[in-house]
Every structure is written in structure tokens, then in C-alpha cells.
Amino acid sequence: MASPVASTVTSVLTKTVSSAAPSSTLRATPQGGILEGANPSVYDPKNPITVFIIQAGIIIIFCRLLHFPLSRLRQPRVIAEVIGGIILGPSVMGRIPGFTNAIFPAASMPALTLVANLGLVLFLFLVGLEVDLRFLVSNWRIAISVGALGMILPFGLGAAIAWGLYNQFRGEPGTVVISFGVYMLFIGVAMAITAFPVLCRILTELKLLSTNVGIIVLSAGVANDVVGWILLALCVALVNAGTGLTALYVLLVCVGYTLFLVYAVRPGFLWVLHRTGSIEKGPPQSVVALTLLMALTSAFFTGIIGVHPIFGAFIIGLICPHEGGFAIKVTEKVEDLVGVLFLPLYFALSGLSTNLGLLNNGITWAYVIGVVLVAFCTKVIGGTIAARLNGLVWRESFTIGALMSCKGLVELIVLNIGLQAKILSTRTFTIFVVMALITTFATTPLTSALYPRWYQIKLASWKRGEIDWDGNRLTPDGGSSEADDLSLSKAEGSGVNRVLTYLRLDSMSGVIAFVSLLARPRSSPSAATKVHPSKKNEVLTQPSQYDESITQRPLQVHGIRLVELTDRASSVMKVSEVDETTSRDPIINTFRTVGQLRQFSVSGAVMVVPETSYATTLVERATDVAADLVLIPWSESGAMSENSLIEEGSGSRFANGSFSHYVSSALKQTSHATIAIFIDNGFGSRRRTRETRTLSRTVSAMSAKDMRSNATIPVTDQGHHIFLPFFGSEDDKAALRFVLQLAQDSSVTATICHFELPDSIHDQIASNQDSKSHAHTPGATAEELKSPISITVNHASASHYATFFALMRDSLPSTLASRVIFTSTSLSTSASPIADVLSVAKKEVGISTKNAGDLVVLGRNAAMRSVLSAAGATFDNHLLFENEAEYCLGGVAEGVIKNGTAASLMVLKASGKES
């Protein structure tokens, strides 16, 4: 028998179902979406996210596609975003019937605008972080003069053209009635402002940040940016205020709030940052949350007092400290979301609000031309005159003026504020958007034409007094220039005195050991034994333990760290703060410490450049420091990244990749210095093999691992043995001289073996050396292979190099005779010549397992493998190298590496030789 409770529940359910069945109005909203026939493109106020995703996806994809060709013209992304908005708006695709109502319906625009404005607030916070007031303080005189004259002239002529714009377009729909004074102030600000963020990116891409032009423009841009935002805040306050007295109150409150943030909030914020270790170790998530809350709260306050919310966020960015890279680290946390999602939406909205169809009569086009000319010419003339008055040459001054004319995204933000405040009509807004696009587009090509790299080098040499204005070298009377000292040292055959080394995390140990070995013979003996001060007189009466006159000039080593420059704001900030970045870089500091301990002169620099410019930057740096030797350690993974790992024995280390391309580019561009490519295999320490971790049944491999197994056994024998196979080429001659310089250290022994080739084979190698190198270069054209430069090597005969080998052997100093051995052997071309070389190498290196590592030194000899193969020599068909790696290292190096030779490898390309 059923219980009363069960009967009651059954009765209620039956009545509910029967009463709901005939009525369709009581049914829940369909949740099946497109499965129930719903159209996702129809805007639903209760579920706006669907249409928002469609809009955001179209805008982001379209803008990215537009940026690809524009980036080839070195244009900033904001150009693509605004042009994309214009194309999606009423000017182009809006003319397609139904397009705007389907994709950008009027009811959906508030949600899109809300997200875009949130992104704008965060972006202005990032702009404040990017503005470093220390530039303004350290260069205040020229910054104020260039910034002031660069604002006064365009502001004045902008106020003049504002009279015509005010009377011509003030009655158009979408505007409010305002006085001419407020309108004039807004137009003057729009004409005078400079886009600081875009300016930083242009200076970085053109490698001008470290030049006088870059420092002056950056300093003046900071001053211009701050003053421009203050004037814009005043303009917005005047528009939003009902009376002049209210506007005064708004301005006073804004000034008081700024002082409160600077003198009350900032000290407390710094205390929190030091307390949490955010400056030393980077901000944790709680500090990032606090910083963003401060920015949003400040934006809220400036919004409710009658000033736009972006000013509050901008001020919070300004008060954030730059010490310890805090501003850069906060920017890294936020910038991707803002740059990828929010900003494209905002600037695309600018394009959607732009209607080129309104530029439909002569008077409107006359104002377009007038606005462009006033905005561009006045900024160029003002910046040029100010720079010239500060002592810069005319071409530098014009470059500064051209850079200061950049409008970019800051101008578009100003225009959108004017459109939202109903100061500008849609037609006037369109006129100024066209002006912003033209001035921003023209900045990069104009700067490149006015201030190319060759002119920068010439101007720097002229200012140092090394050349006259026509390029003729000058030598002061009674003295010698540094260049003369360099020439003299090279003429005296003093070997390698200046080294430029590319510093990488994955090869630091080998580079340090090698540079220390190179510098060791120059180091002076250690100081006399320390004694008690009371016995100082006794020590002074004793003869010196060594003769200081024989101490040589210390080896000069310049380290360079290459950091990839991306389109992120944090990457650009690293460039503008490169001196502080260099001082904090752990690899540079480690290298400096080693130099002090090993007694060689060290300097280091961090260069933030695009990855495609790595090789050019390395070559330019080598020229700047007049390097005799450029040391390039080969990547452990074959990639430019220092953290990538590969399995031991994998051939991908020498595959055609980013690092091979980087080295080949450096080889092609460098002719004034010897290049040494260093492949480390435990140099300076005992070679360790990678252990394979096995599973254990009894204990965990992680929890019970004996850390003593990772201990490095000290090397008691600091000696090295060097093996050099000499075939006969300019590269081999450079390698032989270099080996003898290394052998000056008493702990080094060397075997130099001359592998004699028949004259016919040698001549063919000499004549095909460069052309074969081009053939291995990706992208080499038929014209490059046929060009005269391909046959520029020294076509010396085999007897010439045999004579050189004999001369170096017979003139060997007595101090080296017991440690350096010269041998000769004939190299057969009918069998396997590389195998003959490897058999000798195996007998020479890797014999001692307790020394500090052996070294095989090779001349590059890029064409040798191909010529020997054509002559009938046989090789292993299983290639380890791909074309680009063989171009970099030469054919002989492959056999050394593939054979598992227990030694590090160094491949040299001689200076003054085409690659």
C-alpha cells in the first residue's frame, strides 16, 4: 500500500504537468542555441557576449591581416587598426546593404564601447608606466626648449585654423554649443601633441634611442606628452563644467588630487613594494592586483569630478617606480591582453566613427590639406629650430622635427575624447583622423631618409674630431689618435688584443674558460706576499720579485647580450632603460667579475633589437670597439633561445634554423675582424655525460636523489692540448697564428699538422672557396654566384702555404719549442681524406681525461669538402650538417663533431676575407 506522502507527490506532479501542457507561454527560454534554430548573429540584450565575440573576432583578424603588409613599410600597428576600422565602417563596407546592421547593430555598440573604453583606461596606465620622468630631469634644458617650441608653433597656428573650422562646421549634427575659446584650446592641443608610445617604437626600430637624436626626442616627447594631457584635461573640464567657476573648481581639485597621489600615495606604495620585495624580485599577483585597483580607482575619481577617466589611470602609471625594472615587470603582466584585445577594438571604433564620404566638397578638402600642413610643418619647423638653437647640425635638427611630428594613437585618443564630448562633428573628426594617419605614416620613412646609418657614423666621427666634414681623417699635431694606436698594434703583429664575444646563458662556462686562457699570458704576476704593516720598510728594501716592464696591456673583452625586441611595450621600455638593464643583467655582471679575477679588461652591453637584426648589431658593435676577434659560441639547441633543450646526439643542433642563419649572416657581413665559432664540449672542466634517469622500485628518484652525484669534481690539471690541421688557406694561416698565441700560456700544448694537398686540388679549393660558400647560402642568386666578388680570395699556391708553414715552424720561440710540435703528412684524395684527419685528431685530443679540456682549431675552408668530393674522395653519406651549418663551419668540422671527438671545436674565418 502506497504511503500518503508518495500519493501526495504523484498528485501534485500530475496536476502540474497537465496544467502546463496546453500553455506554451510558461516554457523556459530555449537553451539549445543553433540546435534549436537560434541565429547567433542577432543581438540579444540578455546575452550580448555572442555578438561581441563575432565583432571582436572580425576586428582583430582584419587588423592583423592589414598589419602584415604595413609592417613591411615599418608602420606601427595603430595604422592598421584605424584603417581596418575605416574599411569596416561606413566609408567602405558600411556601404554594403545590411552589413552594419548585421555585424555592428546600433544596440550592440554600447557593450563594444564599454570594453574598448576599459582597454583605453588600462592603456593610458601603461603609457604612464612607459613615461620615464628621469629622461626629462637629466635632459631638462634641451627637452623643455624642443618640447616648448614644438608645441607653441603648432598650437598657435592650430588656433588660427580653428577659427575657420569653428565657423564652418560648428552647426553640424552631433555637436554642442561651446565657446570659441574652448574649441580653440582643443584644436591647439590636437595640433601640438606628440604620440610618445609610437615615438618610442619608431626610435627603437630605427636604433636611434642611444643617439643624441633619440635622447633629445625621447626627453622632449615626455615633456610634450605630460603638458598635452594637462591641457586636454583642462579642455574636457571646461566642456563638462556648466560655468567658468565650476571649471576652476574642477581644475583645482585635479591639481590637489595629483599632489595627493605624488606626496601621500606614492610613498606608501613604495613602502608596500619594498616590504613585499616587489622591486627586487618582481611583483607578485597581489601587488599587481593592488596596482590595477589603484589605476581603476584613480580613473573613477577623475571621471566623477568632470575629467576623463584616462587621466587618473595615466597619473597612477606616472607615480609607479622604474627602479629595479618594476614598471617593466608590471607592463609585462598587462600588455598582451590590452594590446591584443582592447586596443584594436578602441581604434577600430575610431575608424567606424570615421566617414570618408563626408569629405565631399571642395571646402572640406581644403581644410583637410590645411590641417595636414599645419600639423606637420609647424611641428617639423618648431622642433628643427629648437634643436638647431641647441647646437645640433641641420640634418640632426630636421630629424628631430620629423620625429616630433608623429601623432599616432595619442592623437586618435584625443580626437575620440573630442567626439565623445561633442566638441567635434563627425566631419571634423574625419578630417583630423586623416591628418593623424598621414603624419604617422610619414614619420618612419622621412626619418630613415634624413638620418641613415652611414650619416650617423660620419657625424659621430666628425664630432670626435677624427675626420673633417668631407670625410678626410684628421690626426692632431703632436699626438696620435686611438685609430692610429689600433693600426700600430695591428701592424706590429701583436695578435688578438680586442675580443667581442656574444654572451649566451647556455655557453657561458666555455666562453669564460676560453677567454681566461686567451688573457692568461698577459696577466701580471700576483702581488708580493702580504706582510704586517710594521715590517713595511723591510719589504720596501727588498728587490722586486718581477719586472713590471714586461707586463703587457691586458686583453680587452667586450661582451654583448642580444635580447629580442618585440612589439610589446615592455620590450621598448627595456631599450629606453638599457643602461639599467645592463647593470642588472646577471650574465654581464658575472662576466665582469670573471674579468676582475682573471685580470682582463671587460665591458658589457645589453642590446634590445629585432631578431632579424642580431647579426647586423653584432657586426656594428665589433666595428665600434675595433675588435680583432669576434667570438660566437654555437647554441646548445640550434635555436636563438637560450633555454631550449635537445637530446644528446640529436642532429637538430646543426639543422637549418634561426641560429645557423644568424651565424651565416654575421659571416657575410664581417670582413674587418677574424670570426671564431666556438662549439663547447666541456672546455675548462671535465667533460660530463648526460645521465639517463632510471626508475627504482624502492625509492623515489626525486625524493631520495643523492645531491652529491651532481657535485663538480675540481680540475687539478689546468692544461689544454690543441690540435690544428693545416691544409693551406687564409683561414688556416689565421688559425695557426691564433694557436701560437694561445700556446704562450705555459699550460697549453699544441700539435700543428700540415696535411699536404696536391697543387691541382689546392688551386681548385682556392678558386671555388667563395663561390661554394655562396652556393651554400640560402637565397643565393645566379648573379651572386657569377659576380666578381665571388673570386676575391687569395689564389696562393700550395707552395706558398707550405713556405708559410715552414717559416712559422722555424721561427718558433724557444719558450714554445717544448710544448708546440709541427708535423706534416700527405693527404690522399682517392680514399677518405676526412677520415685521415680524424684518425690523427683522435690520437691527439681526448687522451688526458683529467685536464681542463682539449681543443680542435680549424680554418673554415668552406669549399674543401665539395672540391675533394669532386676529385674522387669518398665521404659518409649520412650528413649531420645541413647546408647553412656547413656554410658556417665548413665540411671538415662535420667529421670532427660526428666522430665524437672528445674536444671542443673552434672554426676561424680570417679577417679581410670575403665569406
Side-chain angles (χ1 to χ4, degrees):
M1 181 176 181
S3 65
V5 175
S7 300
T8 303
V9 171
T10 303
S11 176
V12 170
L13 290 175
T14 302
K15 292 179 180 180
T16 302
V17 172
S18 61
S19 61
S23 175
S24 60
T25 58
L26 296 178
R27 293 181 60 191
T29 303
Q31 300 295 316
I34 59 174
L35 299 180
E36 293 187 8
N39 186 355
S41 64
V42 176
Y43 179 72
D44 182 6
K46 297 181 181 179
N47 189 26
I49 185 66
T50 305
V51 174
F52 173 80
I53 292 175
I54 295 174
Q55 295 169 338
I58 291 175
I59 290 173
I60 293 172
I61 294 173
F62 197 69
C63 292
R64 290 279 171 173
L65 290 176
L66 278 176
H67 179 63
F68 179 75
L70 289 173
S71 64
R72 304 297 179 183
L73 301 176
R74 308 175 85 171
Q75 296 300 319
R77 178 169 285 118
V78 64
I79 296 289
E81 292 166 353
V82 176
I83 293 177
I86 292 175
I87 295 175
L88 292 172
S91 300
V92 183
M93 300 188 72
R95 297 179 180 273
I96 301 174
F99 176 82
T100 301
N101 291 332
I103 305 299
F104 299 103
S108 68
M109 297 310 290
L112 190 63
T113 304
L114 175 63
V115 177
N117 284 326
L118 174 62
L120 179 65
V121 169
L122 293 176
F123 174 70
L124 262 293
F125 166 65
L126 295 179
V127 172
L129 287 173
E130 196 170 348
V131 173
D132 191 349
L133 294 177
R134 292 177 297 182
F135 278 101
L136 180 60
V137 173
S138 58
N139 304 280
W140 67 271
R141 189 184 302 276
I142 192 169
I144 291 177
S145 60
V146 173
L149 195 54
M151 290 193 73
I152 292 173
L153 192 58
F155 189 92
L157 290 182
I161 201 173
W163 175 258
L165 291 169
Y166 180 77
N167 289 287
Q168 183 69 34
F169 304 113
R170 64 176 174 176
E172 292 192 336
T175 59
V176 295
V177 178
I178 56 175
S179 65
F180 172 70
V182 176
Y183 190 85
M184 180 191 69
L185 177 62
F186 180 84
I187 297 298
V189 171
M191 292 289 190
I193 203 164
T194 296
F196 179 77
V198 175
L199 196 61
C200 286
R201 283 153 181 78
I202 292 175
L203 289 171
T204 302
E205 186 172 348
L206 298 181
K207 300 179 183 178
L208 296 179
L209 271 180
S210 59
T211 64
N212 285 339
V213 169
I215 294 172
I216 292 170
V217 169
L218 204 61
S219 305
V222 171
N224 193 300
D225 213 37
V226 173
V227 174
W229 288 119
I230 293 173
L231 292 177
L232 185 60
L234 174 61
C235 183
V236 173
L238 291 172
V239 173
N240 293 334
T243 63
L245 185 61
T246 304
L248 178 62
Y249 288 156
V250 171
L251 182 62
L252 292 177
V253 171
C254 192
V255 172
Y257 176 67
T258 303
L259 295 176
F260 171 73
L261 289 177
V262 172
Y263 293 105
V265 174
R266 189 174 190 273
F269 185 53
L270 289 176
W271 180 84
V272 172
L273 296 182
H274 286 292
R275 184 71 179 232
T276 58
S278 299
I279 292 181
E280 296 81 5
K281 300 180 295 184
Q285 193 177 69
S286 58
V287 173
V288 175
L290 173 64
T291 308
L292 292 178
L293 281 175
M294 289 171 56
L296 294 176
T297 304
S298 182
F300 166 77
F301 181 79
T302 55
I304 64 175
I305 65 173
V307 185
H308 200 283
I310 63 173
F311 298 106
F314 177 73
I315 296 172
I316 293 298
L318 280 180
I319 68 173
C320 287
H322 287 254
E323 289 77 10
F326 175 80
I328 296 177
K329 294 169 185 174
V330 172
T331 303
E332 290 174 340
K333 308 287 186 182
V334 184
E335 61 183 343
D336 282 345
L337 182 62
V338 175
V340 172
L341 177 61
F342 290 145
L343 272 189
L345 299 184
Y346 183 82
F347 293 119
L349 282 177
S350 300
L352 291 172
S353 302
T354 304
N355 189 354
L356 297 179
L358 296 177
L359 308 179
N360 54 5
N361 54 55
I363 189 66
T364 304
W365 277 105
Y367 275 109
V368 170
I369 297 173
V371 167
V372 171
L373 289 177
V374 169
F376 182 74
C377 295
T378 54
K379 291 290 287 186
V380 171
I381 293 173
T384 300
I385 293 175
R388 181 60 180 168
L389 292 176
N390 280 278
L392 277 73
V393 300
W394 278 113
R395 197 158 179 172
E396 275 184 313
S397 303
F398 275 116
T399 304
I400 291 174
L403 286 166
M404 294 299 292
S405 69
C406 179
K407 299 294 184 186
L409 48 83
V410 173
E411 176 74 11
L412 295 168
I413 294 172
V414 172
L415 297 178
N416 276 281
I417 292 174
L419 185 65
Q420 293 171 6
K422 299 183 178 181
I423 300 173
L424 300 178
S425 65
T426 303
R427 190 191 307 268
T428 314
F429 176 80
T430 302
I431 292 174
F432 277 86
V433 168
V434 172
M435 177 270 291
L437 289 175
I438 292 176
T439 53
T440 305
F441 196 93
T443 301
T444 300
L446 187 60
T447 303
S448 300
L450 286 172
Y451 206 59
R453 175 65 181 171
W454 66 265
Y455 182 79
Q456 298 173 37
I457 297 173
K458 172 187 173 181
L459 188 63
S461 299
W462 177 73
K463 289 184 175 181
R464 289 195 299 264
E466 298 174 359
I467 61 173
D468 60 17
W469 188 249
D470 295 327
N472 301 315
R473 185 160 297 278
L474 301 176
T475 303
D477 296 336
S480 60
S481 64
E482 182 181 358
D484 295 332
D485 294 339
L486 297 177
S487 301
L488 180 62
S489 64
K490 291 182 178 180
E492 291 174 350
S494 55
V496 174
N497 297 311
R498 290 176 174 82
V499 178
L500 174 70
T501 178
Y502 169 43
L503 298 178
R504 292 177 54 88
L505 182 62
D506 57 1
S507 56
M508 275 297 292
S509 59
V511 169
I512 288 175
F514 178 78
V515 173
S516 300
L517 173 63
L518 185 60
R520 205 181 298 165
R522 301 164 180 263
S523 304
S524 61
S526 59
T529 305
K530 296 293 183 181
V531 296
H532 194 276
S534 62
K535 299 184 178 181
K536 183 177 180 181
N537 294 332
E538 299 178 15
V539 175
L540 291 177
T541 59
Q542 296 178 359
S544 176
Q545 297 181 4
Y546 63 92
D547 185 4
E548 294 184 359
S549 63
I550 64 174
T551 302
Q552 302 180 35
R553 180 183 300 178
L555 180 72
Q556 299 180 28
V557 183
H558 305 268
I560 180 173
R561 287 270 290 151
L562 297 177
V563 178
E564 183 181 5
L565 173 66
T566 64
D567 56 358
R568 290 183 169 93
S570 59
S571 182
V572 178
M573 292 168 69
K574 290 178 182 178
V575 181
S576 60
E577 301 179 17
V578 69
D579 291 338
E580 187 173 349
T581 303
T582 300
S583 65
R584 295 195 312 267
D585 187 81
I587 294 181
I588 294 290
N589 289 332
T590 300
F591 202 59
R592 287 197 184 103
T593 303
V594 171
Q596 294 173 357
L597 295 175
R598 300 302 177 95
Q599 298 181 2
F600 58 86
S601 175
V602 175
S603 66
V606 175
M607 309 293 287
V608 186
V609 295
E611 187 173 304
T612 54
S613 300
Y614 276 12
T616 303
T617 303
L618 183 73
V619 173
E620 290 175 352
R621 187 66 178 173
T623 303
D624 293 340
V625 302
D628 305 312
L629 179 74
V630 179
L631 179 62
I632 305 178
W634 195 271
S635 168
E636 289 290 333
S637 62
M640 292 304 303
S641 173
E642 301 177 5
N643 300 319
S644 302
L645 297 177
I646 60 171
E647 293 296 327
E648 190 170 5
S650 172
S652 61
R653 183 180 184 186
F654 302 101
N656 287 341
S658 56
F659 193 82
S660 297
H661 182 70
Y662 156 68
V663 176
S664 66
S665 298
L667 287 169
K668 285 181 281 187
Q669 297 180 45
T670 305
S671 61
H672 66 279
T674 299
I675 292 185
I677 304 171
F678 181 56
I679 302 175
D680 183 27
N681 189 17
F683 192 78
S685 61
R686 293 187 179 180
R687 187 182 178 217
R688 298 186 61 190
T689 58
R690 184 179 299 177
E691 298 179 0
T692 302
R693 182 175 296 175
T694 57
L695 296 177
S696 173
R697 290 185 178 183
T698 56
V699 296
S700 168
M702 295 300 296
S703 61
K705 186 174 177 65
D706 186 2
M707 298 307 295
R708 290 175 295 179
S709 62
N710 288 331
T712 302
I713 302 175
V715 179
T716 55
D717 180 6
Q718 293 294 327
H720 304 275
H721 183 67
I722 301 176
F723 173 62
L724 168 64
F726 184 92
F727 300 99
S729 68
E730 295 302 308
D731 292 337
D732 288 336
K733 288 172 66 176
L736 197 157
R737 292 191 184 98
F738 188 65
V739 168
L740 293 180
Q741 181 174 349
L742 292 175
Q744 292 177 15
D745 186 89
S746 58
S747 64
V748 173
T749 59
T751 299
I752 303 172
C753 183
H754 184 195
F755 290 90
E756 299 174 352
L757 294 171
D759 288 346
S760 59
I761 300 298
H762 183 277
D763 294 341
Q764 192 174 357
I765 291 176
S767 62
N768 286 277
Q769 177 79 35
D770 194 70
S771 60
K772 188 62 185 177
S773 299
H774 277 301
H776 282 257
T777 306
T781 63
E783 288 75 13
E784 288 175 332
L785 298 178
K786 297 176 183 178
S787 63
I789 200 172
S790 300
I791 316 294
T792 55
V793 294
N794 183 9
H795 299 292
S797 63
S799 60
H800 167 81
Y801 293 108
T803 303
F804 172 81
F805 183 85
L807 178 65
M808 300 300 291
R809 179 192 58 202
D810 297 339
S811 62
L812 187 70
S814 58
T815 55
L816 301 181
S818 62
R819 292 183 287 108
V820 179
I821 297 177
F822 286 79
T823 63
S824 297
T825 184
S826 296
L827 187 64
S828 172
T829 61
S830 59
S832 181
I834 302 299
D836 295 343
V837 175
L838 295 179
S839 64
V840 177
K842 274 198 168 184
K843 297 176 183 178
E844 292 291 337
V845 297
I847 305 302
S848 174
T849 59
K850 297 182 180 181
N851 69 352
D854 294 340
L855 181 67
V856 176
V857 179
L858 295 172
R860 182 161 160 260
N861 301 323
M864 176 172 292
R865 180 189 179 99
S866 298
V867 173
L868 290 176
S869 179
T874 59
F875 298 92
D876 188 351
N877 292 326
H878 180 69
L879 297 179
L880 178 66
F881 287 5
E882 296 188 25
N883 285 349
E884 203 161 23
E886 184 178 346
Y887 168 77
C888 297
L889 300 173
V892 181
E894 178 181 16
V896 175
I897 296 172
K898 185 179 175 182
N899 195 51
T901 305
S904 298
L905 176 66
M906 177 164 288
V907 179
L908 274 80
K909 182 185 85 74
S911 61
K913 173 178 175 292
E914 299 291 341
S915 64

